Short mmCIF file of all heavy atoms in Angstrom, two decimals:
data_model
loop_
_atom_site.label_atom_id
_atom_site.label_comp_id
_atom_site.label_asym_id
_atom_site.label_seq_id
_atom_site.Cartn_x
_atom_site.Cartn_y
_atom_site.Cartn_z
N LEU A 28 -10.10 -5.45 14.25
CA LEU A 28 -10.24 -4.93 15.61
C LEU A 28 -11.36 -5.76 16.46
O LEU A 28 -11.08 -6.26 17.48
CB LEU A 28 -10.54 -3.48 15.69
CG LEU A 28 -10.60 -2.86 17.15
CD1 LEU A 28 -9.21 -2.96 17.82
CD2 LEU A 28 -11.08 -1.39 17.01
N ALA A 29 -12.48 -5.88 15.77
CA ALA A 29 -13.60 -6.67 16.26
C ALA A 29 -13.29 -8.08 16.47
O ALA A 29 -13.58 -8.79 17.62
CB ALA A 29 -14.87 -6.49 15.60
N ALA A 30 -12.51 -8.75 15.60
CA ALA A 30 -12.23 -10.16 15.59
C ALA A 30 -11.08 -10.43 16.54
O ALA A 30 -11.09 -11.54 17.23
CB ALA A 30 -12.00 -10.62 14.27
N SER A 31 -9.99 -9.54 16.57
CA SER A 31 -8.84 -9.90 17.39
C SER A 31 -8.44 -8.93 18.46
O SER A 31 -7.55 -9.25 19.30
CB SER A 31 -7.63 -10.09 16.39
OG SER A 31 -7.33 -8.81 15.77
N GLY A 32 -9.07 -7.85 18.34
CA GLY A 32 -8.61 -6.87 19.35
C GLY A 32 -7.37 -6.01 18.94
O GLY A 32 -7.03 -5.07 19.50
N ASP A 33 -7.01 -6.33 17.71
CA ASP A 33 -5.72 -5.62 17.05
C ASP A 33 -6.12 -4.95 15.92
O ASP A 33 -6.54 -5.39 14.86
CB ASP A 33 -4.66 -6.68 16.74
CG ASP A 33 -3.31 -6.11 16.35
OD1 ASP A 33 -3.39 -4.86 16.17
OD2 ASP A 33 -2.47 -6.87 16.05
N LEU A 34 -5.97 -3.54 16.05
CA LEU A 34 -6.33 -2.82 14.86
C LEU A 34 -5.50 -3.15 13.60
O LEU A 34 -5.92 -2.97 12.46
CB LEU A 34 -6.05 -1.21 15.18
CG LEU A 34 -6.52 -0.10 14.19
CD1 LEU A 34 -8.04 -0.14 14.05
CD2 LEU A 34 -6.07 1.28 14.63
N MET A 35 -4.33 -3.56 13.69
CA MET A 35 -3.53 -3.90 12.60
C MET A 35 -3.61 -5.53 12.27
O MET A 35 -2.72 -6.03 11.55
CB MET A 35 -2.04 -3.50 12.86
CG MET A 35 -1.86 -2.01 12.95
SD MET A 35 -2.04 -1.25 11.31
CE MET A 35 -3.57 -0.23 11.58
N GLY A 36 -4.52 -6.15 12.88
CA GLY A 36 -4.59 -7.53 12.71
C GLY A 36 -4.95 -8.04 11.34
O GLY A 36 -5.40 -7.32 10.50
N GLU A 37 -4.85 -9.31 11.19
CA GLU A 37 -5.39 -9.83 9.87
C GLU A 37 -6.89 -9.77 9.69
O GLU A 37 -7.59 -9.91 10.55
CB GLU A 37 -4.93 -11.40 9.91
CG GLU A 37 -5.38 -12.10 8.63
CD GLU A 37 -4.89 -13.59 8.68
OE1 GLU A 37 -3.58 -13.85 8.66
OE2 GLU A 37 -5.72 -14.54 8.69
N ALA A 38 -7.22 -9.29 8.50
CA ALA A 38 -8.66 -9.00 8.33
C ALA A 38 -9.41 -10.26 8.04
O ALA A 38 -8.87 -11.14 7.19
CB ALA A 38 -8.83 -8.09 7.10
N PRO A 39 -10.42 -10.57 8.80
CA PRO A 39 -11.25 -11.73 8.63
C PRO A 39 -12.08 -11.74 7.26
O PRO A 39 -12.10 -10.64 6.61
CB PRO A 39 -12.12 -11.86 9.80
CG PRO A 39 -12.32 -10.40 10.31
CD PRO A 39 -10.97 -9.74 9.90
N ARG A 40 -12.58 -12.74 6.91
CA ARG A 40 -13.62 -12.88 5.77
C ARG A 40 -12.88 -12.66 4.52
O ARG A 40 -13.46 -12.20 3.46
CB ARG A 40 -14.73 -11.85 5.85
CG ARG A 40 -15.58 -12.04 7.06
CD ARG A 40 -16.30 -13.38 6.96
NE ARG A 40 -17.31 -13.56 8.07
CZ ARG A 40 -16.95 -14.29 9.18
NH1 ARG A 40 -15.70 -14.77 9.35
NH2 ARG A 40 -17.77 -14.60 10.08
N CYS A 41 -11.48 -12.90 4.41
CA CYS A 41 -10.69 -12.74 3.13
C CYS A 41 -10.29 -14.18 2.72
O CYS A 41 -9.58 -14.81 3.39
CB CYS A 41 -9.59 -11.76 3.24
SG CYS A 41 -8.75 -11.66 1.66
N GLU A 42 -10.60 -14.51 1.51
CA GLU A 42 -10.28 -15.78 0.90
C GLU A 42 -8.84 -15.78 0.28
O GLU A 42 -8.35 -16.82 -0.07
CB GLU A 42 -11.35 -16.14 -0.20
CG GLU A 42 -12.57 -16.77 0.38
CD GLU A 42 -12.38 -18.26 0.78
OE1 GLU A 42 -12.55 -19.12 -0.09
OE2 GLU A 42 -12.07 -18.59 1.93
N HIS A 43 -8.28 -14.57 0.02
CA HIS A 43 -7.10 -14.42 -0.82
C HIS A 43 -5.95 -14.97 0.04
O HIS A 43 -5.64 -14.66 1.17
CB HIS A 43 -6.87 -12.97 -1.15
CG HIS A 43 -5.58 -12.86 -1.96
ND1 HIS A 43 -5.43 -13.36 -3.27
CD2 HIS A 43 -4.52 -12.14 -1.71
CE1 HIS A 43 -4.19 -12.99 -3.74
NE2 HIS A 43 -3.66 -12.26 -2.84
N LYS A 44 -5.09 -15.78 -0.75
CA LYS A 44 -3.81 -16.28 -0.25
C LYS A 44 -2.79 -15.48 -0.84
O LYS A 44 -2.48 -15.57 -2.13
CB LYS A 44 -3.74 -17.79 -0.51
CG LYS A 44 -4.67 -18.66 0.13
CD LYS A 44 -4.40 -20.14 -0.09
CE LYS A 44 -5.33 -21.11 0.71
NZ LYS A 44 -6.79 -20.65 0.62
N PRO A 45 -2.02 -14.58 -0.02
CA PRO A 45 -0.98 -13.80 -0.65
C PRO A 45 0.10 -14.49 -1.35
O PRO A 45 0.49 -15.59 -1.08
CB PRO A 45 -0.40 -13.16 0.64
CG PRO A 45 -1.42 -13.25 1.60
CD PRO A 45 -2.15 -14.46 1.34
N ASP A 46 0.58 -13.75 -2.44
CA ASP A 46 1.71 -14.26 -3.24
C ASP A 46 2.96 -13.58 -2.52
O ASP A 46 3.28 -12.46 -2.77
CB ASP A 46 1.64 -13.75 -4.67
CG ASP A 46 2.73 -14.22 -5.43
OD1 ASP A 46 3.76 -14.66 -4.79
OD2 ASP A 46 2.72 -14.15 -6.67
N THR A 47 3.57 -14.32 -1.63
CA THR A 47 4.70 -13.83 -0.79
C THR A 47 5.86 -13.41 -1.62
O THR A 47 6.57 -12.61 -1.11
CB THR A 47 5.14 -14.91 0.28
OG1 THR A 47 5.40 -15.99 -0.39
CG2 THR A 47 3.99 -15.13 1.22
N ASP A 48 5.91 -13.85 -2.90
CA ASP A 48 7.05 -13.39 -3.65
C ASP A 48 6.81 -11.93 -4.16
O ASP A 48 7.73 -11.30 -4.52
CB ASP A 48 7.14 -14.25 -4.96
CG ASP A 48 7.72 -15.64 -4.63
OD1 ASP A 48 8.38 -15.76 -3.58
OD2 ASP A 48 7.42 -16.63 -5.27
N ARG A 49 5.52 -11.56 -4.14
CA ARG A 49 5.15 -10.18 -4.66
C ARG A 49 4.83 -9.39 -3.54
O ARG A 49 4.95 -8.15 -3.53
CB ARG A 49 4.02 -10.30 -5.54
CG ARG A 49 4.26 -10.98 -7.00
CD ARG A 49 3.01 -11.16 -7.77
NE ARG A 49 2.38 -9.85 -8.02
CZ ARG A 49 1.15 -9.64 -8.46
NH1 ARG A 49 0.25 -10.81 -8.59
NH2 ARG A 49 0.71 -8.50 -8.61
N GLY A 50 4.40 -9.91 -2.42
CA GLY A 50 4.09 -9.07 -1.24
C GLY A 50 5.29 -8.60 -0.49
O GLY A 50 6.37 -9.16 -0.78
N GLN A 51 5.15 -7.78 0.44
CA GLN A 51 6.18 -7.21 1.17
C GLN A 51 6.76 -8.13 2.31
O GLN A 51 7.92 -8.16 2.61
CB GLN A 51 6.04 -5.83 1.72
CG GLN A 51 4.90 -5.72 2.67
CD GLN A 51 3.53 -5.45 2.17
OE1 GLN A 51 3.35 -5.87 0.91
NE2 GLN A 51 2.65 -5.02 2.80
N GLY A 52 5.91 -8.88 2.96
CA GLY A 52 6.34 -9.83 3.95
C GLY A 52 6.90 -9.23 5.23
O GLY A 52 7.55 -9.97 5.98
N SER A 53 6.73 -7.92 5.48
CA SER A 53 7.40 -7.36 6.53
C SER A 53 6.43 -6.65 7.50
O SER A 53 6.80 -6.14 8.49
CB SER A 53 8.44 -6.39 6.16
OG SER A 53 7.86 -5.23 5.40
N GLY A 54 5.13 -6.65 7.15
CA GLY A 54 4.15 -6.05 8.13
C GLY A 54 4.03 -4.54 7.79
O GLY A 54 3.15 -3.87 8.45
N VAL A 55 4.64 -3.98 6.78
CA VAL A 55 4.51 -2.64 6.50
C VAL A 55 4.19 -2.44 4.94
O VAL A 55 4.44 -3.54 4.23
CB VAL A 55 5.80 -1.76 6.72
CG1 VAL A 55 6.09 -1.81 8.24
CG2 VAL A 55 7.01 -2.41 6.00
N ARG A 56 3.81 -1.37 4.67
CA ARG A 56 3.46 -1.19 3.15
C ARG A 56 4.66 -1.33 2.30
O ARG A 56 5.89 -0.97 2.77
CB ARG A 56 2.87 0.13 2.83
CG ARG A 56 1.44 0.27 3.35
CD ARG A 56 0.74 1.58 2.81
NE ARG A 56 -0.47 1.84 3.53
CZ ARG A 56 -1.65 1.35 3.03
NH1 ARG A 56 -1.69 0.49 2.02
NH2 ARG A 56 -2.77 1.68 3.70
N ASN A 57 4.58 -1.67 1.06
CA ASN A 57 5.73 -1.79 0.20
C ASN A 57 6.59 -0.44 0.05
O ASN A 57 5.76 0.59 0.17
CB ASN A 57 5.24 -2.03 -1.28
CG ASN A 57 4.70 -3.44 -1.43
OD1 ASN A 57 5.14 -4.31 -0.81
ND2 ASN A 57 3.75 -3.55 -2.39
N LYS A 58 7.84 -0.56 0.09
CA LYS A 58 8.64 0.67 -0.09
C LYS A 58 8.23 1.30 -1.45
O LYS A 58 8.35 0.67 -2.45
CB LYS A 58 10.09 0.32 0.00
CG LYS A 58 10.97 1.56 0.00
CD LYS A 58 12.48 1.18 0.17
CE LYS A 58 13.33 2.52 0.14
NZ LYS A 58 14.77 2.11 0.18
N LYS A 59 7.89 2.53 -1.36
CA LYS A 59 7.34 3.30 -2.64
C LYS A 59 8.68 4.05 -3.29
O LYS A 59 9.36 4.71 -2.65
CB LYS A 59 6.40 4.23 -2.27
CG LYS A 59 5.09 3.49 -1.70
CD LYS A 59 4.01 4.49 -1.41
CE LYS A 59 2.73 3.69 -0.88
NZ LYS A 59 1.72 4.72 -0.65
N THR A 60 8.58 3.88 -4.67
CA THR A 60 9.58 4.68 -5.43
C THR A 60 9.19 6.15 -5.19
O THR A 60 8.07 6.62 -5.20
CB THR A 60 9.39 4.35 -6.87
OG1 THR A 60 9.53 2.94 -7.11
CG2 THR A 60 10.37 5.15 -7.81
N GLU A 61 10.27 7.01 -4.92
CA GLU A 61 10.14 8.39 -4.79
C GLU A 61 9.59 9.02 -6.12
O GLU A 61 10.07 8.77 -7.27
CB GLU A 61 11.42 8.99 -4.43
CG GLU A 61 11.16 10.63 -4.31
CD GLU A 61 12.53 11.36 -3.83
OE1 GLU A 61 13.56 10.60 -3.92
OE2 GLU A 61 12.51 12.47 -3.65
N ILE A 62 8.55 9.80 -6.02
CA ILE A 62 7.95 10.43 -7.19
C ILE A 62 8.27 11.93 -7.18
O ILE A 62 7.94 12.61 -6.19
CB ILE A 62 6.44 10.24 -7.22
CG1 ILE A 62 5.97 8.72 -7.22
CG2 ILE A 62 5.63 10.92 -8.30
CD1 ILE A 62 6.41 8.09 -8.53
N ILE A 63 8.72 12.37 -8.27
CA ILE A 63 8.99 13.78 -8.47
C ILE A 63 7.94 14.49 -9.40
O ILE A 63 7.65 13.90 -10.39
CB ILE A 63 10.39 14.02 -9.05
CG1 ILE A 63 11.48 13.35 -8.14
CG2 ILE A 63 10.66 15.61 -9.23
CD1 ILE A 63 11.55 13.94 -6.72
N TRP A 64 7.48 15.65 -9.03
CA TRP A 64 6.45 16.28 -9.76
C TRP A 64 7.07 17.44 -10.58
O TRP A 64 7.84 18.18 -9.99
CB TRP A 64 5.35 16.88 -8.87
CG TRP A 64 4.46 15.80 -8.32
CD1 TRP A 64 4.58 14.87 -7.53
CD2 TRP A 64 3.04 15.75 -8.67
NE1 TRP A 64 3.53 14.14 -7.19
CE2 TRP A 64 2.55 14.62 -7.95
CE3 TRP A 64 2.12 16.43 -9.52
CZ2 TRP A 64 1.13 14.22 -7.96
CZ3 TRP A 64 0.76 16.05 -9.64
CH2 TRP A 64 0.26 14.94 -8.84
N GLU A 65 6.80 17.46 -11.92
CA GLU A 65 7.22 18.56 -12.59
C GLU A 65 6.39 19.87 -12.21
O GLU A 65 5.19 19.74 -11.77
CB GLU A 65 7.07 18.34 -14.15
CG GLU A 65 8.01 17.41 -14.70
CD GLU A 65 8.03 17.31 -16.15
OE1 GLU A 65 7.19 17.90 -16.78
OE2 GLU A 65 8.82 16.53 -16.79
N GLU A 66 7.03 21.00 -12.22
CA GLU A 66 6.36 22.14 -11.67
C GLU A 66 5.00 22.44 -12.34
O GLU A 66 4.08 22.76 -11.68
CB GLU A 66 7.36 23.38 -11.88
CG GLU A 66 6.79 24.71 -11.29
CD GLU A 66 7.80 25.81 -11.31
OE1 GLU A 66 8.84 25.56 -11.69
OE2 GLU A 66 7.48 26.90 -11.03
N GLU A 67 4.95 22.26 -13.65
CA GLU A 67 3.65 22.43 -14.50
C GLU A 67 2.69 21.56 -13.90
O GLU A 67 1.44 21.85 -13.74
CB GLU A 67 3.89 22.31 -15.89
CG GLU A 67 2.72 22.85 -16.77
CD GLU A 67 2.91 22.74 -18.13
OE1 GLU A 67 4.10 22.72 -18.65
OE2 GLU A 67 1.87 22.68 -18.99
N ALA A 68 3.00 20.19 -13.66
CA ALA A 68 2.01 19.24 -13.14
C ALA A 68 1.59 19.62 -11.71
O ALA A 68 0.43 19.49 -11.41
CB ALA A 68 2.75 17.89 -13.23
N SER A 69 2.55 20.16 -10.90
CA SER A 69 2.17 20.59 -9.49
C SER A 69 1.25 21.69 -9.61
O SER A 69 0.34 21.65 -8.80
CB SER A 69 3.47 20.89 -8.83
OG SER A 69 3.12 21.48 -7.54
N GLU A 70 1.38 22.61 -10.53
CA GLU A 70 0.43 23.78 -10.64
C GLU A 70 -0.81 23.26 -11.02
O GLU A 70 -1.97 23.67 -10.60
CB GLU A 70 0.99 24.78 -11.61
CG GLU A 70 2.19 25.60 -11.05
CD GLU A 70 1.84 26.27 -9.84
OE1 GLU A 70 0.78 27.03 -9.87
OE2 GLU A 70 2.58 26.38 -8.80
N ARG A 71 -1.03 22.17 -11.98
CA ARG A 71 -2.24 21.69 -12.39
C ARG A 71 -2.95 21.06 -11.33
O ARG A 71 -4.14 21.06 -11.21
CB ARG A 71 -2.00 20.74 -13.49
CG ARG A 71 -3.24 20.18 -14.22
CD ARG A 71 -2.93 19.35 -15.47
NE ARG A 71 -4.15 18.77 -15.90
CZ ARG A 71 -4.29 18.23 -17.18
NH1 ARG A 71 -3.28 18.41 -18.05
NH2 ARG A 71 -5.45 17.76 -17.51
N LEU A 72 -2.21 20.35 -10.38
CA LEU A 72 -2.86 19.70 -9.27
C LEU A 72 -3.69 20.68 -8.39
O LEU A 72 -4.67 20.38 -7.79
CB LEU A 72 -1.85 18.94 -8.40
CG LEU A 72 -2.38 18.17 -7.27
CD1 LEU A 72 -3.15 16.97 -7.88
CD2 LEU A 72 -1.18 17.55 -6.47
#
């Protein structure tokens, strides 16, 4: 935000060059696999 005025802008001071084959390349977080919780695990949480 300070560098570009855009809250979603590219973060400065980062040396990493993305691996576009592994990254999402769409501007949104990777689509996540749906996770199902077993009832006992849910109770433990």
Side-chain angles (χ1 to χ4, degrees):
L28 183 64
S31 68
D33 185 354
L34 187 63
M35 293 292 112
E37 180 176 297
R40 298 294 182 267
C41 180
E42 280 279 274
H43 180 64
K44 294 180 173 57
D46 181 346
T47 53
D48 291 332
R49 295 173 59 196
Q51 62 270 26
S53 62
V55 297
R56 290 192 188 275
N57 291 328
K58 184 177 180 181
K59 295 179 178 178
T60 304
E61 181 181 5
I62 297 293
I63 302 297
W64 285 68
E65 291 189 355
E66 186 173 351
E67 189 177 341
S69 176
E70 287 299 314
R71 180 168 177 166
L72 185 65

